[in-house]
Amino acid sequence: MPTPAPHTRGSRAGAVLRVTSGNFLEQFDFFLFGFYATHISRVFFPAGSEFASLMLTFAVFGAGFLMRPLGAIILGAYIDEVGRRKGLIVTLSIMASGTILIACVPGYQTIGLLAPFLVLVGRLLQGFSAGAELGGVSVYLAEMATPGRKGFYTAWQSASQQIAIVVAALMGYGLNSWLSAGEIGAWGWRIPFFAGCIIVPFIFLLRRSLQETEAFQARTRRPAAREVYRTMLEHWRSVIAGMLLVAMTTTTFYLITIYTPTFGKSVLKLSTQASLVVTLLVGLSNFFWLPVGGLVSDRIGRRPVLLAITVLAILTSYPALSWLAASPSFERMLLVLLWLSFFFGMYNGAMVAALTEIMPEKIRVAGFSLAFSLATAVFGGFTPAISTYLIELTGDKAAPGYWLTFAAVCGFLSTLVLYHGRGAWSVAGKASGPMHSSR
């Protein structure tokens, strides 16, 4: 990949802000859907029991992730063909449409079955867009990174999402302080969604001023979408291995952010304020550890970081959640989730850069996006629903730890496979050639 031309520190910081702004909107809305799941379930998915209603809500939440692989293939190929800037404006447009739709749909009592159907459509639009958004942003950051700093730059893709978590948690805390539970359930939960709609024009302005990466401009030949599809089929092993690599990070993220408020309120019976404060602090913790993970992987390599964190997760995830479930409290919940936040930040900081490195150049966005989207669809997106089901099935409040442990095993094994016999690849930024070239 050609080395980008020199930029000032300020211009690079501005480029990071512009390209990651869409990630902020995506995660802001996703978090709101998870946090207000109990209210959304009553408004759009009334059922015979709270469990059934909540499961329907999380199923619709997860359905959006099933659209991610399709978005990754179609929009990812489009971005690889026309460029990062144009493609990311398209993904933002689709994402904004889904966000506005969910915010404005009347409840089931007003329009009947059309209400849950429209919410589902909004989630599908968001999922379709997000399928290529993450890949497009990550590849853009990787291509603009200074030599030896790719891990640090790509970490800001996910770091921007943590700002969204913090802002959403602060808004939720404010609403719970100013409004009664009845007011929040009736209409107050929509206020943060409308706030997300209001910032859409500002994010569009940021994205429109984005410059194309020099690495993409330097290409002498740009593959058509059909060629991108064919290349992805040829390198399906890289995509599957990449999916398993992402499993650990996407499962951990949705467990400690999207599912945390519901877990704290419905399972541990802690107060709404306590769950919100924990979520806010987890977002701040993620924001700290992500660039640290990227920097460490730039210094010692991706492989050592990925292996060390997955081993820690395998050994401690379920015991930590069991300790929390044995005597639920704000302090214990905070300590456990900060521990899981450390896992997520360090692993993801190394993983995103690694994933941009294992994909062939001509399908860098599409391949990255498909691997990430498949992992999110199979593992992360359904984490709230699977966690809810496991707790109901086993009666064990720590049961989500089983799911997280399984995801960590997938991450551990995929790291061993991807880096087996690849000495050059164990030192970040010094790869002698693309890993996909060998089976």
Side-chain angles (χ1 to χ4, degrees):
M1 185 175 68
T3 302
H7 289 77
T8 65
R9 179 176 299 180
S11 68
R12 289 190 180 278
V16 170
L17 172 64
R18 288 190 289 273
V19 76
T20 58
S21 58
N23 279 165
F24 175 93
L25 177 64
E26 174 201 347
Q27 200 52 57
F28 182 77
D29 191 63
F30 278 18
F31 173 79
L32 293 177
F33 201 100
F35 177 71
Y36 292 107
T38 53
H39 300 302
I40 292 173
S41 65
R42 297 184 189 118
V43 173
F44 297 112
F45 305 96
S49 69
E50 181 179 356
F51 168 71
S53 184
L54 199 57
M55 281 299 294
L56 284 172
T57 303
F58 280 138
V60 170
F61 178 76
F65 295 100
L66 296 180
M67 286 293 288
R68 284 196 176 203
L70 184 62
I73 294 172
I74 297 175
L75 294 178
Y78 176 75
I79 296 173
D80 277 321
E81 180 179 1
V82 305
R84 315 321 186 197
R85 177 185 178 275
K86 291 181 180 179
L88 288 173
I89 291 175
V90 171
T91 61
L92 179 60
S93 302
I94 299 173
M95 185 190 308
S97 300
T99 298
I100 293 171
L101 181 59
I102 293 174
C104 299
V105 173
Y108 181 88
Q109 297 299 327
T110 303
I111 60 174
L113 291 175
L114 187 59
F117 172 75
L118 290 176
V119 171
L120 176 61
V121 170
R123 285 291 300 130
L124 295 180
L125 286 172
Q126 289 179 328
F128 183 73
S129 168
E133 170 76 13
L134 287 175
V137 171
S138 298
V139 169
Y140 187 98
L141 293 170
E143 290 182 347
M144 67 167 282
T146 53
R149 304 270 285 183
K150 187 183 294 184
F152 176 73
Y153 272 83
T154 56
W156 292 104
Q157 175 265 114
S158 188
S160 67
Q161 297 179 347
Q162 311 315 310
I163 299 176
I165 297 295
V166 171
V167 172
L170 285 171
M171 291 184 68
Y173 189 88
L175 286 176
N176 278 276
S177 300
W178 301 326
L179 302 176
S180 67
E183 290 173 327
I184 292 176
W187 53 269
W189 64 270
R190 290 184 185 267
I191 294 177
F193 283 93
F194 285 126
C197 296
I198 292 172
I199 66 174
V200 165
F202 176 69
I203 295 177
F204 265 109
L205 289 175
L206 288 176
R207 276 279 169 94
R208 283 177 61 84
S209 63
L210 195 65
Q211 299 297 312
E212 185 56 77
T213 67
E214 304 219 6
F216 184 83
Q217 290 178 326
R219 289 188 185 181
T220 57
R221 181 175 177 275
R222 299 173 185 179
R226 183 176 299 179
E227 185 178 351
V228 173
Y229 301 148
R230 184 171 61 251
T231 305
M232 280 198 294
L233 284 175
E234 292 172 355
H235 298 287
W236 64 269
R237 290 180 178 84
S238 294
V239 173
I240 297 301
M243 177 194 75
L244 295 176
L245 190 70
V246 179
M248 161 75 175
T249 193
T250 188
T251 300
T252 308
F253 178 72
Y254 285 99
L255 180 66
I256 65 177
T257 57
I258 303 300
Y259 184 60
T260 289
T262 300
F263 183 63
K265 291 183 296 182
S266 302
V267 179
L268 302 180
K269 307 303 180 183
L270 300 178
S271 70
T272 299
Q273 282 81 359
S275 298
L276 277 169
V277 171
V278 169
T279 305
L280 188 153
L281 294 175
V282 164
L284 292 174
S285 174
N286 292 344
F287 186 81
F288 172 79
W289 288 116
L290 282 162
V292 171
L295 281 171
V296 171
S297 73
D298 284 334
R299 181 64 61 88
I300 69 173
R302 321 291 182 214
R303 183 177 182 270
V305 177
L306 298 175
L307 290 178
I309 295 300
T310 50
V311 169
L312 278 176
I314 291 168
L315 295 177
T316 67
S317 293
Y318 181 77
L321 286 170
S322 294
W323 178 71
L324 169 60
S327 181
S329 67
F330 169 80
E331 291 79 9
R332 287 197 176 202
M333 185 177 182
L334 179 60
L335 287 174
V336 169
L337 290 182
L338 288 179
W339 177 239
L340 299 182
S341 168
F342 168 73
F343 289 170
F344 166 73
M346 292 296 294
Y347 184 89
N348 194 74
M351 185 278 300
V352 173
L355 195 58
T356 65
E357 293 165 345
I358 70 173
M359 294 299 165
E361 183 181 49
K362 67 173 63 174
I363 62 164
R364 185 165 286 152
V365 174
F368 181 109
S369 299
L370 184 57
F372 210 108
S373 298
L374 287 172
T376 306
V378 175
F379 294 91
F382 284 96
T383 290
I386 290 172
S387 298
T388 301
Y389 175 74
L390 287 175
I391 292 172
E392 181 75 11
L393 179 68
T394 65
D396 182 1
K397 295 179 180 179
Y402 296 129
W403 182 238
L404 181 54
T405 300
F406 174 68
V409 170
C410 292
F412 178 81
L413 294 177
S414 64
T415 300
L416 290 180
V417 170
L418 286 169
Y419 288 90
H420 176 66
R422 303 285 176 175
W425 280 85
S426 66
V427 180
K430 299 182 180 179
S432 58
M435 292 171 59
H436 68 275
S437 62
S438 179
R439 300 299 186 205

